[in-house]
Amino acid sequence: QVQLLESGGGLVQAGGSLRLSCAASGRTFRTYVMGWFRQAPGKEREFVAAINWSGGSTSYADSVKGRFTISRDNAKATVYLQMNSLKPEDTAVYYCASSTNSVIATTASSFASWGQGTQVTVSS
């Protein structure tokens, strides 16, 4: 079992930046992929970014490429999402997720453990 706790959300103006953190605890010694998803009101949960154990492979949704960067620090059992040039359409609850798979997947069903989410609001 893996427990995940997101932090770093908040209210920012369009064009601003935020860095989200996700601290993992429990059985973090296994090979796993970490990812970020988001869900806006009335919308389905969508993939944002993912990273493998070594950090050598990453994947991003087209809507965030060039603006968001995912990274991880395994010594701290923490994954980060640096969000720059934020847009109002980025407003959503952002969820951290963990997968026991060894390869990156972009579907929510591929991630077994989830955090409770952190709110990101971008004002126009």
Side-chain angles (χ1 to χ4, degrees), residues 2-118:
V2 178
Q3 295 77 46
L4 305 174
L5 180 62
E6 304 97 334
S7 62
L11 173 64
V12 298
Q13 296 184 30
S17 298
L18 282 174
R19 189 181 77 158
L20 306 183
S21 298
C22 173
S25 60
R27 300 179 62 181
T28 60
F29 62 90
R30 300 181 65 180
T31 297
Y32 60 87
V33 168
M34 298 292 295
W36 288 95
F37 291 75
R38 66 187 183 186
Q39 188 166 24
K43 302 292 185 179
E44 296 183 357
R45 188 169 300 187
E46 66 174 343
F47 170 78
V48 176
I51 187 169
N52 72 344
W53 175 262
S54 69
S57 294
T58 58
S59 183
Y60 296 93
D62 288 341
S63 59
V64 306
K65 285 182 179 177
R67 300 189 298 121
F68 291 9
T69 303
I70 188 171
S71 62
R72 68 191 298 167
D73 185 340
N74 291 338
K76 297 180 179 179
T78 301
V79 64
Y80 306 94
L81 185 68
Q82 178 66 47
M83 305 185 294
N84 298 327
S85 301
L86 284 163
K87 305 174 181 179
E89 49 262 48
D90 295 318
T91 295
V93 176
Y94 283 70
Y95 297 91
C96 176
S98 175
S99 172
T100 57
N101 295 334
S102 60
V103 296
I104 291 177
T106 59
T107 59
S109 62
S110 297
F111 292 80
S113 299
W114 294 81
Q116 292 299 304
T118 185

